[in-house]
Amino acid sequence: MRPVPPPQTYRVKSFGCQMNVYDGERMGELLDAQGMAPAAEGAEADLVVLNTCHIREKAVDRVYSDIGRLRRGDGSAPLIAVAGCVAQAQGDEIMRRAPSVGVVVGPQAYHRLPALVAEAAAGRRALDTDMPAAAKFAALPPRRRVGASAFLTVQEGCDKFCTYCVVPYTRGAEVSRPFADLVAEGERLVDAGAKEITLLGQNVNAWRDERGRGLEVLAEALAALPGLARIRYMTSHPNDMTEGLIAAHRDNPKLMPFLHLPVQAGSDRVLAAMNRSHTVASYRDVIERVRAVRPGIAVSGDFIVGFPGESDAEFAETLRLVDAVGYAQCFSFKYSPRPGTPAAAMDGQIAPEVMDERLQALQAALQRSSLAFNQAAVGQRCKVLIERPGRRPGQWLGKSPWLQSVYFEGDAAIGDLVEVELVEAGPNSLAARLLVPAPA
Ligand code: SAH
Ligand code: SF4
Ligand code: F3S
């Protein structure tokens, strides 16, 4: 690699889950602290950080096409850093396949990004995919740039080893950040303007503090911050839903009535083959207990169709589960074999046409479910946190307590928490009427 002047401007492109987005924000803050600045809209950046996701094959393909696309007409390219979970899983391969990449940095090592960038600018390609437990956060600068709704990573990694999933390999073992650090970061976020904090973790409800206390204790401490109006958390694992956390949905008024609880499949045989370590019945029991303390709570989930060996009858059980639970919104995916995971080597890989059919059937059922949930909310009054302007002039888009997208017109601004009446429902959003004008 030829040496280049130290980069002055950067762009971070995040492709993955919320935690990946959080990491992207923090990498930006690190580069800011070095005196760099985000490249202006439309302008070329001296440094491009591709913050990648390894969860499904498609996400990985994007990385290489993106690297290719960064090449300019004259054959030159910005300094490219590949970060995120693909960097962790395929760092050496990226270095071999893509000579234009100057830096490869894993999700647990990105606090060293500025040093790695300096190396690459000096002409030495640099790779760091170490996983020093929890060293990263201590080395990051304080939070700065946040919107009204902010992410806060409280827990990283996964010990569950579902047979289809790369996360335990790309993120490492479950590590919880200390209670005091999280409250301090929460305070910074609120000082910087956050009204809502979403606590993030691969298994966020596996978070424990130094004394073994669970997420409800952290949520309670954050609820004491006067400027903070809303607390959310994701993603939860059904087996880590403790009584204490369930009770918090009754006792903590700032904890929003929304629970993202992936199930993946509606057949116990498939769940066992996935190594999910819960059954359909134990999953439904968790939801029932949460609903008992917080009636009307919105439940969402993740589904995988076409796991190896999934029969038509087993897939039909997934559809039945969807009808039985009544989801507010969900994510659904075709199974994607991931290198190195046990499921990739299993017999009974499902044909693409069958996967397509099942995904369509599942998504139709999920749409019906979301529509029913949203229709039931019509006529209710609720608060909406405004996130951005809507498509039409004078229109705003925000989130209800149940994480529904709500749009309405009126005198308001991004970051306002306004009172509305929900007037019309679709499967993916609701129209509302502004009741209380935002304070001037
Ligand atoms: N820790 C969370 C989610 C992790 S990944 C959990 O356990 O629920 C987010 C979602 O991606 C998963 O819930 C799953 O639905 C999906 N996913 C993970 N690996 C996948 C694979 N190999 N193919 C298709 N979807 C996958
Ligand atoms: Fe992946 Fe399963 Fe861990 Fe979720 S619980 S991150 S799906 S291994
Ligand atoms: Fe993707 Fe890594 Fe998140 S694989 S889903 S960016 S944890």
Side-chain angles (χ1 to χ4, degrees):
M1 231 183 147
R2 251 180 299 136
V4 293
Q8 307 287 310
T9 60
Y10 70 87
R11 174 166 293 124
V12 181
K13 296 170 88 181
S14 294
F15 299 103
C17 58
Q18 285 99 338
M19 190 178 291
N20 175 266
V21 172
Y22 172 90
D23 292 341
E25 290 169 1
R26 304 234 54 184
M27 284 189 269
E29 289 165 347
L30 266 169
L31 298 170
D32 291 344
Q34 300 296 306
M36 295 178 61
E41 192 84 36
E44 253 187 25
D46 301 335
L47 167 69
V48 175
V49 180
L50 301 175
N51 189 21
T52 61
C53 174
H54 199 235
I55 201 83
R56 284 168 290 275
E57 200 174 355
K58 267 196 190 147
V60 178
D61 294 341
R62 278 191 68 174
V63 181
Y64 289 102
S65 65
D66 260 64
I67 293 170
R69 237 177 304 149
L70 284 168
R71 191 161 290 282
R72 304 180 184 115
D74 63 1
S76 67
L79 189 52
I80 302 172
V82 178
C85 288
V86 181
Q88 189 65 40
Q90 300 186 352
D92 295 322
E93 193 182 331
I94 294 168
M95 280 299 204
R96 265 199 315 275
R97 261 177 76 175
S100 61
V101 169
V103 173
V104 167
V105 62
Q108 306 306 359
Y110 66 72
H111 52 295
R112 303 198 191 116
L113 179 65
L116 299 169
V117 167
E119 280 282 304
R124 294 181 294 272
R125 302 174 78 206
L127 174 142
D128 191 341
T129 48
D130 284 352
M131 286 202 176
K136 170 178 69 186
F137 290 104
L140 294 174
R143 303 303 319 265
R144 279 208 334 198
R145 262 188 282 129
V146 300
S149 181
F151 291 140
L152 172 52
T153 292
V154 304
Q155 178 279 345
E156 275 199 70
C158 181
D159 299 339
K160 302 267 190 300
F161 290 92
C162 300
T163 52
Y164 50 80
C165 183
V166 291
V167 170
Y169 312 100
T170 63
R171 290 276 171 173
E174 283 179 8
V175 177
S176 293
R177 295 179 62 193
F179 177 84
D181 293 7
L182 293 170
V183 175
E185 189 169 331
E187 279 169 2
R188 296 285 306 219
L189 291 172
V190 173
D191 288 346
K195 290 190 176 149
E196 171 177 276
I197 292 180
T198 302
L199 308 175
L200 298 181
Q202 264 87 35
N203 287 310
V204 69
N205 53 348
W207 179 85
R208 294 291 178 273
D209 76 354
E210 304 84 315
R211 294 155 52 190
R213 299 179 304 172
L215 202 61
E216 65 277 13
V217 175
L218 180 61
E220 197 184 312
L222 293 173
L225 300 175
L228 188 66
R230 293 177 161 192
I231 300 166
R232 301 182 185 277
Y233 61 95
M234 65 175 28
T235 295
S236 319
H237 192 282
N239 291 1
D240 293 317
M241 273 321 277
T242 60
E243 287 309 320
L245 184 54
I246 291 174
H249 280 283
R250 175 190 63 216
D251 301 334
N252 186 339
K254 292 189 182 177
L255 193 59
M256 289 294 104
F258 183 91
L259 177 63
H260 182 63
L261 201 64
V263 62
Q264 316 300 355
S267 142
D268 284 339
R269 194 206 60 82
V270 173
L271 289 177
M274 287 176 161
N275 191 33
R276 283 293 294 178
S277 66
H278 60 77
T279 61
V280 174
S282 69
Y283 172 82
R284 291 190 57 186
D285 178 62
V286 172
I287 292 176
E288 251 164 57
R289 284 186 286 141
V290 178
R291 282 182 168 155
V293 301
R294 191 84 188 236
I297 190 168
V299 177
S300 93
D302 292 352
F303 291 88
I304 296 174
V305 301
F307 185 79
E310 185 186 63
S311 68
D312 286 336
E314 286 165 343
F315 172 65
E317 290 186 75
T318 298
L319 295 178
R320 278 203 292 281
L321 176 65
V322 169
D323 286 342
V325 169
Y327 287 97
Q329 50 172 276
C330 279
F331 298 102
S332 49
F333 311 100
K334 289 188 264 189
Y335 167 72
S336 172
R338 309 307 299 124
T341 59
M346 284 179 187
D347 292 337
Q349 301 284 328
I350 304 293
E353 317 79 77
V354 177
M355 290 226 219
D356 286 336
E357 248 169 56
R358 289 184 187 168
L359 188 67
Q360 270 185 23
L362 175 60
Q363 290 187 338
L366 291 172
Q367 287 268 310
R368 282 196 300 274
S369 193
S370 302
L371 182 62
F373 183 86
N374 290 345
Q375 279 170 339
V378 169
Q380 291 204 49
R381 295 179 169 203
C382 67
K383 291 247 170 71
V384 168
L385 181 59
I386 302 182
E387 291 182 349
R388 56 192 154 94
R391 241 176 290 158
R392 275 192 265 146
Q395 197 182 54
W396 299 101
L397 197 70
K399 290 282 165 32
S400 77
W402 305 278
L403 208 67
Q404 294 148 308
S405 291
V406 176
Y407 57 93
F408 57 91
E409 280 165 23
D411 186 17
I414 292 174
D416 287 347
L417 195 62
V418 296
E419 181 96 10
V420 304
E421 183 184 330
L422 302 170
V423 295
E424 204 188 316
N428 304 316
S429 63
L430 289 129
R433 188 165 62 85
L434 182 62
L435 292 175
V436 183

